[in-house]
Amino acid sequence: MTTAQTRTKAVLPVPTQSTYQTRVADYWNAEENPVNLELGRVDDLYHHHYGIGDADTSVLGEPDPERRRERLTHELHRLEHAQAEFLASHLGDLSPTDRAFDAGCGRGGGSVVAHLRHGCHTDGVTISAKQAEFANEQARKRGIDGKVRYHHRNMLDTGLTTGAYAASWNNESTMYVELDLLFAEHARLLRRGGRYVVITGCYNDTYGQASREVSLINAHYICDIHPRSAYFRAMARNRLVPVHVQDLTAATIPYWELRREAEHLVTGIEDTFLDAYRNGSFQYLMIVADRV
């Protein structure tokens, strides 16, 4: 390594994080789950979330085992990509000069989708150094690293420029942080009138406390799923005003039903998700809000 490279490496910011966040970072630095990696290899768009829409169940009738595996992988990736496109379609009217912020970007697929759809600059932030390195390499391979960048930072304290962003989002990453701290950072980064979008699993607190299924999901992913009402209270405290709310629970069930049949991708949590969605204790929600 040259002296110049050493200096560059030395000045990279190190995310400040709690003991819990260190555990989360360790989890994602070590994560090599086929349900994330195999799906991403379909077109080099790596998502770390679930899918929505009607599934093509004809793949389950494919008689050739290898072909069945391939078709299942492609169909699950199609559904997760549809979810990413759906979120990006709610980011507002972005121009190529606008900046957008991807909080908890994972391996970077959502930032690429937003850039390809709107032409905007995107900054993704992840607490995992391994994910940030991987995502930046993917951007370089696509030739879009001049407009799509990833940072190894804490999404609660990014160090990015105040008021510089026209849009921002979280895609299934809010369950790892305190909502007030998260929304305060989004409000700081967004310009007045900027658009924030979140897609998340949340527990339905009209049923009371978190259900057994929600507790099992928390344990599986080392996360802390928030009640639905907490999102709206924390947004109100942080200058984020909801303009559109959509329950995506029914839309995501086909993804989970199909994933349960993909022997090469199952993680053992599939039936728990389906039970939670079907008994009403868990919801898949999108909230679109404007920064005032």
Side-chain angles (χ1 to χ4, degrees):
M1 182 178 288
T2 66
T3 302
Q5 288 174 320
T6 303
R7 286 189 188 128
T8 301
K9 189 176 184 66
V11 299
L12 288 174
V14 177
T16 56
Q17 56 198 45
S18 65
T19 301
Y20 166 70
Q21 289 170 331
T22 298
R23 289 181 60 210
V24 172
D26 290 343
Y27 174 89
W28 289 111
N29 282 329
E31 184 268 340
E32 295 286 343
N33 198 318
V35 79
N36 292 321
L37 294 174
E38 286 206 30
L39 270 60
R41 291 188 187 109
V42 170
D43 57 5
D44 282 335
L45 278 173
Y46 292 82
H47 300 296
H48 279 268
H49 53 73
Y50 312 127
I52 58 172
D54 293 331
D56 177 7
T57 56
S58 71
V59 301
L60 299 175
E62 175 61 52
D64 179 77
E66 286 302 313
R67 177 62 178 155
R68 182 180 190 273
R69 173 180 173 140
E70 181 184 2
R71 289 185 64 192
L72 268 167
T73 300
H74 279 247
E75 180 61 6
L76 287 168
H77 181 65
R78 185 187 69 81
L79 295 173
E80 68 171 3
H81 186 74
Q83 196 259 49
E85 289 282 3
F86 183 72
L87 188 154
S89 73
H90 286 82
L91 292 174
D93 295 324
L94 301 178
S95 74
T97 60
D98 283 328
R99 306 199 72 88
F101 169 56
D102 181 359
C105 62
R107 288 187 172 93
S111 291
V112 177
V113 168
H115 165 70
L116 294 178
R117 186 181 189 93
H118 299 286
C120 59
H121 297 262
T122 60
D123 285 290
V125 165
T126 171
I127 205 167
S128 165
K130 184 177 178 181
Q131 288 183 343
E133 181 180 359
F134 181 94
N136 277 316
E137 179 59 25
Q138 292 299 308
R140 283 191 288 272
K141 287 180 179 179
R142 287 179 174 271
I144 59 174
D145 51 309
K147 297 197 75 170
V148 178
R149 298 176 300 175
Y150 302 93
H151 313 271
H152 175 215
R153 303 186 189 182
N154 190 326
M155 63 179 168
L156 303 181
D157 183 19
T158 64
L160 299 173
T161 305
T162 298
Y165 294 85
S168 66
W169 72 91
N170 284 91
N171 199 347
E172 292 183 20
S173 54
T174 54
M175 63 287 297
Y176 289 104
V177 294
E178 294 179 47
L179 293 181
D180 272 299
L181 297 177
L182 175 67
F183 293 156
E185 183 67 351
H186 279 286
R188 184 186 71 81
L189 293 172
L190 286 169
R191 68 193 185 198
R192 189 176 182 88
R195 174 64 53 84
Y196 172 69
V197 181
V198 57
I199 293 181
T200 188
C202 54
Y203 76 81
N204 185 353
D205 40 356
T206 63
Y207 283 68
Q209 297 300 310
S211 66
R212 173 181 176 275
E213 290 83 6
V214 170
S215 297
L216 289 172
I217 295 168
N218 280 336
H220 185 86
Y221 289 109
I222 320 176
C223 64
D224 187 13
I225 293 167
H226 303 289
R228 181 180 61 187
S229 62
Y231 283 87
F232 299 98
R233 290 197 301 266
M235 284 184 177
R237 288 190 291 263
N238 289 283
R239 305 183 67 174
L240 296 171
V241 178
V243 294
H244 178 70
V245 180
Q246 189 165 346
D247 187 347
L248 299 174
T249 305
T252 197
I253 285 177
Y255 165 90
W256 286 100
E257 290 176 331
L258 192 64
R259 178 168 144 177
R260 182 176 56 182
E261 304 302 321
E263 297 89 350
H264 62 300
L265 297 173
V266 295
T267 65
I269 201 65
E270 289 77 15
D271 283 331
T272 303
F273 268 86
L274 284 168
D275 289 345
Y277 285 139
R278 287 170 175 158
N279 68 27
S281 66
F282 192 46
Q283 291 178 294
Y284 202 45
L285 201 68
M286 180 181 72
I287 308 170
V288 182
D290 286 343
R291 195 274 199 193
V292 299

